[in-house]
Amino acid sequence: VQEYTDEIERSIVEHVCSLKNERDQSLFGEVEVWLTAPCDIPLRHGELENFAVSQHSSQSFCLELLHKDGMLIINDVLPADRVQDLRNMVLKRIADAEENLKQQHPSIKIGSDLFAFKEMSSRGKQRFDLLLEEEEEAFAPIFDLSRTGPWTKFVAEALGNDWTCDISVIYSRPGADDQDWHSDGPHLSVPSHHLKSSASPYAFCVFLALIDLD
């Protein structure tokens, strides 16, 4: 995010300087950047229910909301027993990964030390990101769901049908710190002469809660 905002700030300065060279220099004084951000300003706000739809909502309404706000919340997207099955798969994956971490890297204090491996990394105190491998047969139901879930029609509408999917388990233990707002993927560069436009979206983040959020 910082690299992206630094790039935008440089682009703004370059753009203003080019205008200064083209026009009467007396029209321009110092350049002061008030804000750089990896998203549209002002930030969206409101209760979560304002972004919620159901599986029975019309697709046109959902797409309009998605384009306007950049997010959707689909209530009751899966039956409870299906969610529990997914949760059981994930809990086993977590247990296996943490046991392997203890065996392979006994010096790491899980929950307090920062670490980053291909399969698993820490995201701060007591928070972890654990990758699921599609090649593992045990996770086939999860990857099948990623391509057939109710949300995929919106992904296809925005990105087309030729897309790939990475799946991770984000989990926290008691005592985890709140995580700062951040971008989950790099932003596409925007040329300095297109300051008023933004690059088209190229990815979606889909979060499926496996615990009761109430």
Side-chain angles (χ1 to χ4, degrees):
V1 172
Q2 186 59 48
E3 291 179 0
Y4 175 76
T5 54
D6 288 346
E7 179 183 345
I8 292 298
E9 185 171 328
R10 286 193 299 270
S11 298
I12 293 172
V13 173
E14 290 173 3
H15 182 65
V16 173
C17 289
S18 68
L19 293 176
K20 182 176 180 179
N21 293 332
E22 294 173 3
R23 302 181 184 180
D24 183 356
Q25 294 192 13
S26 64
L27 296 178
F28 294 89
E30 295 182 355
V31 175
E32 182 178 356
V33 178
W34 285 19
L35 172 70
T36 58
C39 59
D40 290 337
I41 301 297
L43 297 175
R44 299 293 186 189
H45 60 86
E47 299 296 328
L48 288 180
E49 62 186 22
N50 296 335
F51 306 100
V53 300
S54 74
Q55 296 187 59
H56 306 294
S57 300
S58 70
Q59 185 163 342
S60 60
F61 171 76
C62 294
L63 288 173
E64 180 182 355
L65 190 64
L66 182 62
H67 283 294
K68 179 172 68 74
D69 296 319
M71 63 177 290
L72 282 178
I73 298 174
I74 308 178
N75 291 320
D76 302 320
V77 70
L78 292 176
D81 58 343
R82 184 80 181 278
V83 174
Q84 186 59 50
D85 289 342
L86 297 174
R87 177 177 168 81
N88 291 339
M89 294 180 202
V90 165
L91 289 176
K92 184 178 186 308
R93 172 67 172 128
I94 291 173
D96 291 344
E98 291 191 356
E99 181 60 30
N100 288 337
L101 187 60
K102 292 176 183 177
Q103 295 292 331
Q104 300 294 329
H105 303 277
S107 62
I108 293 178
K109 298 178 182 178
I110 301 176
S112 57
D113 289 350
L114 295 178
F115 61 88
F117 299 102
K118 177 183 177 182
E119 302 85 357
M120 183 179 183
S121 63
S122 57
R123 284 197 168 191
K125 181 182 178 182
Q126 300 292 0
R127 191 184 309 278
F128 309 93
D129 187 338
L130 177 60
L131 184 68
L132 300 186
E133 298 285 354
E134 188 168 7
E135 292 75 16
E136 295 189 36
E137 186 176 350
F139 305 133
I142 297 178
F143 280 89
D144 288 343
L145 179 63
S146 73
R147 299 184 181 93
T148 60
W151 54 84
T152 55
K153 58 185 178 182
F154 305 119
V155 176
E157 180 69 23
L159 304 180
N161 293 311
D162 185 18
W163 47 272
T164 59
C165 182
D166 292 327
I167 301 179
S168 292
V169 179
I170 308 298
Y171 70 99
S172 301
R173 291 174 165 181
D177 295 329
D178 290 338
Q179 196 168 27
D180 292 335
W181 192 98
H182 64 281
S183 172
D184 268 347
H187 294 268
L188 300 182
S189 298
V190 181
S192 59
H193 58 282
H194 287 156
L195 287 174
K196 293 185 178 180
S197 65
S198 57
S200 299
Y202 67 95
F204 279 92
C205 291
V206 178
F207 295 91
L208 179 61
L210 300 181
I211 59 173
D212 190 349
L213 297 180
D214 292 333

